[in-house]
Amino acid sequence: MRKTCYPLAFSALLLATAASAQVQPPPAGNQPAPAPAPTPPSSTNPVPSAAPTPSAPVSPSVGSAATPTPTESVPYGAGMKVNISADGSKYLRFISWHQVWSRYSENNSGTLRAPGKPQDSQVDFVLRRSRFIILSQLNPRFLVYTHFGINNQTAVSGGVNPAVDGKKPQLFIHEAVVEYKVNKYMNVGAGMHYQNGLSRMTRASTLNFLTMDAPITNWPVIEAIDQFARGIGVYAKGRVSKLDYAFSVNEPFLTNQTGGFSTPVGLGQTTGTGAARVNTGTNTAQYNPQGTKKIYQGYVSWEFLDQESNLIPFNVGTYLGTKRVFNLGGGFFYNRDGMVSRPGGSTLNATAIDAALGGGIGSYSNPNNGTRLHDIGLWSLDAFFDTPINKETGTAFTAYAVYYNYDMGPNHTRFIGLSNPGYGTDARRGNAVPHSGTGHIGFVEAGYLLPKTLLGPKLRMQPYASHLLARYEGLRTTGGDIKNVNIFDIGSNFYIDGHNAKFTLNYRPRPDFTDVNNVKYRSEITLQTQVFL
């Protein structure tokens, strides 16, 4: 418990510093996700317009004895936008942001912090996201959109592999899109895009989460058959009346090209030695290294109250009282033959084992290896509600709930640790939790924006809580019972300048599934600093 005091004291110091920052909070209308208006808004496709240019402060009269008062900062407004035409329909728009974590973590059992160095806990610092976006429009019907950056850099890993020099992580393209407006009901686009299906949170903006971050389960195939929740393909999006929609067809990225699952031997367990070796299938599905079938996905929602901007595919997590939104939605994700397994009755003798290892990925095509293909079929239903409570005091309430049904082949369960501070002999080390798999998942979050007079005009506070409950068929005790996954988060956002400058303090009692029969809970305390321009 003594160790926990240090990160808490550090968090309090940073929050106290934030409270004294001389920044004027922006007006209510400037806090949603940053999205410029390519064309004048219409009733069927409204988009946020650029904020008016603030007038220059009035200088005191010449010869006045009065001392000029310092000018307060101007609200952020439309941000870094360069208008190429007088009406703003032709423009260049730039968005840049960083999210930095200061974190105390109790590690899962068996975690290494460096080669040969076990570590039970540590305080570390993380570059969670560092991104840059360029939006450009030279014709009201065309949009060019580029998004690049890095993620999850720790001292252990540059966001790529543990136990490797963590410096200089790969800078890569998140999105590179060209889009054409067919009519007021439909836009079509192509490239590396984020027009995901499945759920609202699968299309979430990372700039305005209600909680500190997403549960990550909302991106079930991340970095397996996609590129950081993005895909290469084509899409159609738009709005008809109050129905907002997005559908896409993507290419799956090749996966499991190296490592244990690059041959059918990895889908089983080997016993014996030498000529007596036998490899028996585990009946646990993994991503198919020969998967080449297209990915089909889509998401639709009905907007009962205020309509949201759909210029770019970033759903807002909380509007901070600037909108009154109630949406019901549903989505799907389908990839034929995306998974592969070997049933328990499949056995390979020593000769077949050596042949499979020697044949590499090509040995999956050998029918004698007993492999079976499975489709990835996912769907969800969700609801989002955001409303001001008292406009005079500035209070607001936000809630989101989603149900996921995942079919990813028999007994598939995948572990992921977010900005993992450690590693070890398997994927359960560091801060890893069961991330996705065949089964059922429910997630709910809610937050309340407290009165603006509570902490003074320079700081707003928004407490929140969330709960993820998952039931994966591959997580079973020795007695055969499924062990549920419960992940709780509780914390608060502290807004200095809306989402443009904020701190988030989060506590998570994380389940450690090193021993599925005896799940223990490890503490995580994280302070996130976010600034975007």
Side-chain angles (χ1 to χ4, degrees):
M1 186 65 189
R2 185 182 303 171
K3 294 181 180 178
T4 309
C5 297
Y6 297 109
L8 285 175
F10 181 61
S11 302
L13 177 61
L14 287 177
L15 289 173
T17 304
S20 63
Q22 297 295 316
V23 180
Q24 177 183 341
N30 289 330
Q31 294 187 20
T39 55
S42 67
S43 61
T44 58
N45 191 25
V47 293
S49 59
T53 303
S55 58
V58 178
S59 301
S61 302
V62 177
S64 170
T67 302
T69 57
T71 303
E72 291 185 330
S73 65
V74 175
Y76 177 73
M80 297 180 287
K81 181 181 178 185
V82 179
N83 288 331
I84 302 174
S85 63
D87 62 357
S89 63
K90 298 180 180 182
Y91 62 85
L92 285 171
R93 174 86 190 278
F94 305 96
I95 305 170
S96 178
W97 73 98
H98 301 301
Q99 293 171 337
V100 182
W101 288 4
S102 306
R103 175 175 62 178
Y104 167 77
S105 303
E106 294 179 352
N107 296 325
N108 294 347
S109 300
T111 294
L112 300 177
R113 181 69 174 167
K117 185 179 180 181
Q119 190 144 340
D120 293 332
S121 64
Q122 72 281 314
V123 173
D124 71 336
F125 304 97
V126 178
L127 187 56
R128 175 67 178 100
R129 294 180 180 92
S130 178
R131 307 273 192 85
F132 194 84
I133 287 177
I134 305 172
L135 280 168
S136 57
Q137 178 178 282
L138 297 179
N139 182 300
R141 285 190 176 272
F142 292 95
L143 182 71
V144 179
Y145 169 51
T146 306
H147 179 184
F148 58 91
I150 64 172
N151 308 275
N152 298 318
Q153 185 177 15
T154 70
V156 173
S157 169
V160 184
N161 295 309
V164 177
D165 191 344
K167 297 188 290 295
K168 301 180 182 67
Q170 180 187 20
L171 183 73
F172 67 95
I173 291 293
H174 289 63
E175 288 139 84
V177 172
V178 291
E179 183 175 296
Y180 175 71
K181 182 177 181 180
V182 178
N183 53 43
K184 65 180 182 179
Y185 302 112
M186 177 183 291
N187 291 41
V188 295
M192 178 81 72
H193 67 88
Y194 189 62
Q195 293 289 352
N196 294 328
L198 196 55
S199 75
R200 178 187 180 89
M201 189 159 275
T202 313
R203 304 162 48 80
S205 167
T206 62
L207 287 172
N208 43 50
F209 287 132
L210 172 61
T211 56
M212 184 182 69
D213 213 303
I216 311 303
T217 299
N218 52 300
W219 297 302
V221 299
I222 189 168
E223 287 295 274
I225 57 174
D226 65 24
Q227 179 166 293
F228 217 74
R230 278 79 177 174
I232 296 179
V234 296
Y235 65 84
K237 65 157 193 181
R239 180 180 287 121
V240 180
S241 183
K242 289 182 173 290
L243 181 70
D244 192 274
Y245 68 88
F247 298 97
S248 67
V249 180
N250 295 339
E251 293 281 354
F253 284 86
L254 292 178
T255 185
N256 286 330
Q257 300 299 291
T258 60
F261 301 123
S262 60
T263 74
V265 175
L267 301 176
Q269 290 184 337
T270 300
T271 57
T273 59
R277 286 173 296 158
V278 175
N279 182 273
T280 304
T282 59
N283 196 36
T284 300
Q286 303 295 341
Y287 286 98
N288 180 8
Q290 292 184 319
T292 58
K293 304 293 176 60
K294 297 292 188 291
I295 295 171
Y296 302 90
Q297 57 183 328
Y299 179 73
V300 297
S301 65
W302 187 268
E303 302 175 320
F304 289 89
L305 302 175
D306 292 349
Q307 290 186 324
E308 302 180 272
S309 170
N310 64 358
L311 175 67
I312 52 180
F314 296 123
N315 289 136
V316 171
T318 175
Y319 280 103
L320 305 181
T322 63
K323 276 183 176 288
R324 189 166 175 262
V325 178
F326 176 52
N327 295 355
L328 295 179
F332 68 93
F333 180 105
Y334 178 76
N335 178 220
R336 183 180 174 187
D337 297 342
M339 308 294 287
V340 62
S341 72
R342 283 177 51 216
S346 170
T347 59
L348 304 177
N349 58 26
T351 301
I353 292 173
D354 292 337
L357 292 173
I361 294 174
S363 60
Y364 271 100
S365 300
N366 186 342
N368 296 324
N369 286 327
T371 56
R372 294 181 179 177
L373 298 176
H374 311 276
D375 300 342
I376 300 176
L378 321 172
W379 60 271
S380 82
L381 297 172
D382 62 8
F384 175 72
F385 180 62
D386 194 305
T387 185
I389 301 298
N390 186 316
K391 291 188 177 181
E392 291 185 2
T393 61
T395 55
F397 175 74
T398 306
Y400 175 72
V402 58
Y403 165 76
Y404 294 107
N405 187 298
Y406 289 172
D407 184 356
M408 308 179 78
N411 298 309
H412 175 76
T413 306
R414 182 185 180 195
F415 283 75
I416 287 182
L418 194 58
S419 298
N420 204 322
Y423 59 98
T425 56
D426 63 42
R428 294 172 294 180
R429 303 303 175 235
N431 64 354
V433 295
H435 158 265
S436 58
T438 297
H440 308 270
I441 305 98
F443 175 78
V444 61
E445 63 181 11
Y448 187 78
L449 184 63
L450 297 178
K452 56 188 176 183
T453 56
L454 180 67
L455 300 177
K458 300 171 185 175
L459 189 65
R460 300 295 307 275
M461 183 176 178
Q462 183 187 42
Y464 64 76
S466 70
H467 177 216
L468 183 143
L469 173 62
R471 186 174 176 83
Y472 301 122
E473 69 174 36
L475 283 180
R476 295 182 182 269
T477 64
T478 52
D481 297 325
I482 294 178
K483 190 73 172 181
N484 288 342
V485 180
N486 283 281
I487 300 178
F488 298 92
D489 285 276
I490 185 170
S492 182
N493 296 308
F494 297 87
Y495 299 99
I496 305 171
D497 195 0
H499 288 293
N500 293 103
K502 71 178 181 180
F503 291 87
T504 302
L505 185 62
N506 189 84
Y507 172 70
R508 167 182 288 188
R510 186 189 68 254
D512 177 358
F513 272 81
T514 299
D515 180 2
V516 71
N517 298 294
N518 184 26
V519 175
K520 298 180 180 179
Y521 285 82
R522 315 294 189 184
S523 291
E524 285 184 10
I525 303 172
T526 306
L527 177 68
Q528 174 177 273
T529 303
Q530 171 180 301
V531 176
F532 85 83
L533 299 174

